[in-house]
Each structure stands twice: as C-alpha cells, then as structure tokens.
Amino acid sequence: MVRFKHRYVLAEIEFGNDLLIYNLVQQGRRNVLYAAVRDIVEQLHGSYGIGLLTPGLSVKYINEYTRMVMVRCRREHLKLLTSAIPFIKHLPDGKGGQLLCFLRTLHVGGSIRACQKWLIQHNRQVLPTLLLRCTGEEEKSRMRKSIFDSNIVKEEPWNAGSTETAT
C-alpha cells in the first residue's frame, strides 16, 4: 500500500470592500472555494495541472470570522497549488454576482496539527484587531468562540454533506 504525504496551506481571504463576515461555511461554500482553486489551476497549468492536483486536493477548514482557509494537497504538487492561490481574484456571492477578493498564503505545514498550532499563535496576535472590527457584543462573542473552538472539519469535495470532526 502506498502512503501519500500531504501538505496543508493556510491562506487568508482578503475582500476588496473589507467585508467582515462572508458566509463561506454554509450553502456549499467549501465546494465553491474548491472549484475556484481548481479553475485557476486549470487556467494556469492546464489539464496537466488539474490531473496532478485534483486527486489530493480538498478544503479542510474555513473560518468565516478570521477568513482563514486550509487547503490540503499532495506534497509533490505543493508548488502547483501555491503558485495558483494568489491568482484567485473573485468568489461567487451566491446571488449570481462575484465578490472581489484575493488569497494570501500565510503558512504551509506538513500536518493539520502543525497548522492548528500556527493558527492559534496567529489568532492570538490578531485577536485585538479583529475585535475592533466587530460592531456589537454578540458579534464579539461569536468571533471569540469561532477562534477558540477552531475545529478542523473533514469534508471531501465529493461528499458535501458529511462533516466529521478530525482529532
């Protein structure tokens, strides 16, 4: 049996109009982000890039408050993914339009656990800034809960309905 080694890319979604909350988690947004990554890889690297990257590609984590995204790919094809991520310029808004955005790669790790450790340190540094953006106390408490309860949810791109918590 062959063991595939993976890499996990943590990226931050920056929106052009500085939206605080963009509902990426609900309504199949993982599939939207997966499709956006796959489409840009196809534009940049053609069918060769899609053929290499698609079998190991999945979106593992999205936090709508901190706008962090974790994408998994096979170790051999990390450069294909990291070269394509900065070229994502828009995401569908669910209403037939497009939201201007870009993804900024912050960290690449060899395991989900290593990425979680890095993410916790990063969130501790940016928490005061994020709390200043909040308008009400309820929004602040939801953001704190989202940051401190950062569970990584396993979801394969072809199983949009299953949500198993990884430990």
Side-chain angles (χ1 to χ4, degrees), residues 72-129:
R72 182 188 78 175
C73 72
R74 291 189 180 157
R75 183 179 68 178
E76 298 84 23
H77 312 303
L78 176 66
K79 289 197 180 212
L80 283 174
L81 179 64
T82 56
S83 68
I85 283 179
F87 290 100
I88 296 174
K89 298 296 180 197
H90 60 275
L91 290 173
D93 64 355
K95 301 173 187 173
Q98 301 285 331
L99 288 174
L100 294 176
C101 70
F102 67 92
L103 272 72
R104 181 176 44 207
T105 303
L106 298 177
H107 180 73
V108 176
S111 68
I112 290 178
R113 184 178 209 108
C115 288
Q116 278 182 323
K117 287 180 182 179
W118 188 90
L119 191 57
I120 289 169
Q121 287 180 343
H122 177 75
N123 284 340
R124 283 184 182 156
Q125 293 172 355
V126 299
L127 182 62
T129 307

Side-chain angles (χ1 to χ4, degrees), residues 22-64:
Y22 173 57
N23 200 356
L24 287 166
V25 178
Q26 295 178 356
Q27 302 173 1
R29 296 296 183 196
R30 289 176 185 266
N31 294 336
V32 168
L33 194 62
Y34 174 82
V37 171
R38 197 184 66 229
D39 290 344
I40 201 69
V41 168
E42 186 175 19
Q43 287 177 7
L44 295 174
H45 301 290
S47 59
Y48 173 76
I50 286 295
L52 289 177
L53 197 61
T54 301
L57 183 68
S58 65
V59 177
K60 290 294 184 183
Y61 172 75
I62 296 176
N63 189 321
E64 61 185 354

Side-chain angles (χ1 to χ4, degrees), residues 21 65 137-147:
I21 299 172
Y65 294 104
E137 198 59 41
E138 180 182 330
E139 193 174 351
K140 286 182 182 181
S141 67
R142 283 187 293 164
M143 182 172 292
R144 283 189 190 107
K145 184 179 185 302
S146 173
I147 288 173

